Amino acid sequence: MKIAFLISAHNDAQHLKRLLTALPEEAHCFIHLDSKSDMSLFQDCADGKRVTFITERYDIMWGSFGQVRYQTALLRSALRSPEQFDYFFSISGLDYPLWSNRRIMEYVHENSHRESLYAICLADNPSLAHLYREYRFLNTHSWRYGTWKSRMRVALRHIVKALGFRKPLVIRSGNKEYKLYKGGSWWGITRGLAERVIETYDSEKDFVSYFVNAFGPDETFVHTVAMNSEYASRCTLLDANSENTLEALSPLTYIEYGKEIKVFTEDDYDTLMSSGKMFCRKVMSGKSDKLLDMIDENREKELL
């Protein structure tokens, strides 16, 4: 089994280097670096043998279609590699593994015919989908929040909503219909599903267009492809009424999300290690160093 890590990064080159060192040596890491970031700061992370910074770079704004663009760019790069990867993990440059590398590889072998992807069906639960029914026009532009262009975009959204226009929760593309599903951005999928995602992105133009002006497409695009495909039975459908949180929808990554995603420190060690998750998000250099040392010590003990 060969695995690839698909990593989105934009800052903290010091931590990214530590993350890459911590991941299994036999895995290959494909990295999308936000086009706003200075590549020279990340040179120490470059390793042609097991690390590839993809050349296709986007200016990423949270909640924009740019996030789907980097997701598919990473998948496409990994699928085009001469190596035939069997499993693909989507993670952030501010993640860190809680498991030993041996345990990660054992997980891949044991789940080689399953997708580590959780989803809820928004089409069957419209009361939970109010944000996803809003049209987010001009969402492909990386205008910073608070600027006049961003405020104009928000005003347009409210005007369209006041006029009674709502996005459907079923997508029609050619002769196909897709129910809309939601999950977390961090998942693990097999090669077959990865190929299905890229095939859909390349061939189903109406389907892709739906997400261009949608809310949080990085949390719906891959999941909607998966749950409307032959791979749906290999994914996990959650009860939307009881498990509609980012934490519950992230099968592999432990996250605490309040007003923003919490930065973990050594005080969170026991919580993280008892979570059962493969990764934690998020950690940062200068704030999480002691925690990462404690995690590394435990990962080494797992190998004894």
Side-chain angles (χ1 to χ4, degrees):
M1 294 289 290
K2 293 185 177 181
I3 64 176
F5 289 97
L6 314 177
I7 305 173
S8 60
H10 69 283
N11 65 357
D12 202 345
Q14 180 180 342
H15 175 69
L16 179 60
K17 183 176 181 180
R18 181 167 185 169
L19 168 63
L20 295 172
T21 302
L23 294 174
E25 290 185 2
E26 57 266 54
H28 198 97
C29 300
F30 295 85
I31 304 172
H32 173 270
L33 184 63
D34 193 305
S35 64
K36 297 187 297 296
S37 303
D38 184 352
M39 183 66 197
S40 67
L41 300 176
F42 292 80
Q43 289 300 326
D44 287 346
C45 300
D47 175 0
K49 295 181 180 179
R50 61 183 296 267
V51 176
T52 300
F53 281 88
I54 66 173
T55 56
E56 194 173 350
R57 296 174 62 189
Y58 298 100
D59 182 355
I60 303 302
M61 183 184 70
W62 178 86
S64 75
F65 188 70
Q67 292 182 288
V68 174
R69 286 175 171 157
Y70 88 65
Q71 283 179 333
T72 52
L74 283 168
L75 274 174
R76 192 185 305 277
S77 294
L79 287 169
R80 286 177 174 174
S81 170
E83 293 187 72
Q84 290 287 303
F85 298 109
D86 304 293
Y87 216 82
F88 304 80
F89 288 101
S90 171
I91 65 174
S92 157
L94 297 179
D95 287 6
Y96 203 71
L98 300 173
W99 295 2
S100 68
N101 290 338
R102 182 174 64 194
R103 187 178 175 190
I104 291 173
M105 296 306 299
E106 288 174 350
Y107 176 90
V108 173
H109 282 279
E110 293 169 1
N111 293 274
S112 59
H113 298 292
R114 284 202 57 78
E115 316 298 336
S116 299
L117 185 146
Y118 292 173
I120 59 174
C121 184
L122 294 177
D124 293 343
N125 297 275
S127 63
L128 303 176
H130 60 283
L131 289 175
Y132 299 87
R133 302 215 64 189
E134 295 181 355
Y135 283 92
R136 304 260 170 157
F137 293 115
L138 305 177
N139 209 24
T140 56
H141 299 278
S142 297
W143 298 330
R144 300 303 109 185
Y145 294 110
T147 63
W148 72 268
K149 289 183 178 180
S150 177
R151 291 195 293 269
M152 177 190 67
R153 177 170 51 200
V154 172
L156 177 61
R157 184 175 84 234
H158 289 310
I159 291 171
V160 171
K161 183 177 180 179
L163 291 174
F165 294 101
R166 299 289 186 275
K167 285 183 74 66
L169 298 177
V170 176
I171 307 164
R172 291 174 173 80
S173 179
N175 296 322
K176 301 178 183 178
E177 290 189 352
Y178 299 82
K179 286 186 175 182
L180 184 66
Y181 286 81
K182 170 189 175 182
S185 296
W186 321 120
W187 33 254
I189 61 175
T190 62
R191 186 178 186 87
L193 179 51
E195 292 173 338
R196 173 67 67 214
V197 170
I198 296 302
E199 177 187 338
T200 302
Y201 187 87
D202 290 342
S203 64
E204 297 288 337
K205 301 304 181 184
D206 291 337
F207 178 83
V208 175
S209 294
Y210 175 93
F211 296 91
V212 171
N213 56 27
F215 171 76
D218 61 308
E219 297 177 350
T220 54
F221 186 87
V222 171
H223 302 76
T224 300
V225 173
M227 299 304 290
N228 287 276
S229 74
E230 66 272 31
Y231 297 94
S233 62
R234 295 159 56 158
C235 303
T236 301
L237 179 64
L238 298 181
D239 180 354
N241 294 313
S242 62
E243 298 185 87
N244 182 30
T245 64
L246 179 62
E247 294 89 338
L249 290 168
S250 300
L252 301 172
T253 307
Y254 184 83
I255 304 172
E256 289 188 12
Y257 195 33
K259 292 184 179 180
E260 58 185 17
I261 296 178
K262 179 180 179 180
V263 177
F264 295 120
T265 68
E266 63 269 22
D267 295 336
D268 302 296
Y269 175 79
D270 290 338
T271 299
L272 295 176
M273 301 315 297
S274 63
S275 70
K277 297 294 181 74
M278 184 184 295
F279 289 94
C280 66
R281 181 174 191 269
K282 63 185 179 178
V283 291
M284 298 179 66
S285 299
K287 295 183 179 180
S288 310
D289 298 348
K290 185 175 180 181
L291 169 66
L292 298 182
D293 290 341
M294 295 166 69
I295 292 173
D296 282 345
E297 183 177 353
N298 187 76
R299 295 175 75 232
E300 291 174 3
K301 288 180 179 177
E302 287 187 1
L303 298 177
L304 299 178

